């Protein structure tokens, strides 16, 4: 489970990537593109919320 592997700090992105990279790479290329577009949108939206909460 990802939450068990998460630490504190910037290294989280690397841990998160390593947890999912194999599964993502098994998707067809078109679905990978859709996945990363969705991920980009989700990150952007989360950052906006967190920035507004400061």
């Amino acid at each position: 489970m990802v939450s068990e592997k998460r630490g504190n700090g910037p290294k989280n992105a690397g841990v998160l990537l390593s947890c999912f990279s194999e599964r993502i790479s098994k998707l067809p290329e078109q679905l990978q593109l859709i996945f990363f577009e969705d991920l980009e949108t989700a990150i952007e939206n989360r950052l906006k919320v967190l920035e507004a909460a400061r």
Side-chain angles (χ1 to χ4, degrees):
M1 180 176 263
V2 174
S3 61
E4 295 171 358
K5 296 181 181 182
R6 289 184 182 173
N8 294 325
K11 64 183 176 181
N12 288 349
V15 172
L16 198 57
L17 180 59
S18 68
C19 289
F20 294 108
S21 62
E22 184 177 343
R23 288 176 63 190
I24 294 166
S25 67
K26 290 179 181 179
L27 294 171
E29 188 174 332
Q30 186 61 32
L31 293 181
Q32 289 182 35
L33 292 172
I34 292 168
F35 173 79
F36 285 117
E37 289 171 358
D38 290 349
L39 185 59
E40 181 179 17
T41 300
I43 291 169
E44 182 64 35
N45 290 337
R46 175 60 68 189
L47 284 171
K48 287 178 183 177
V49 168
L50 293 174
E51 289 167 345
R54 286 196 249 181

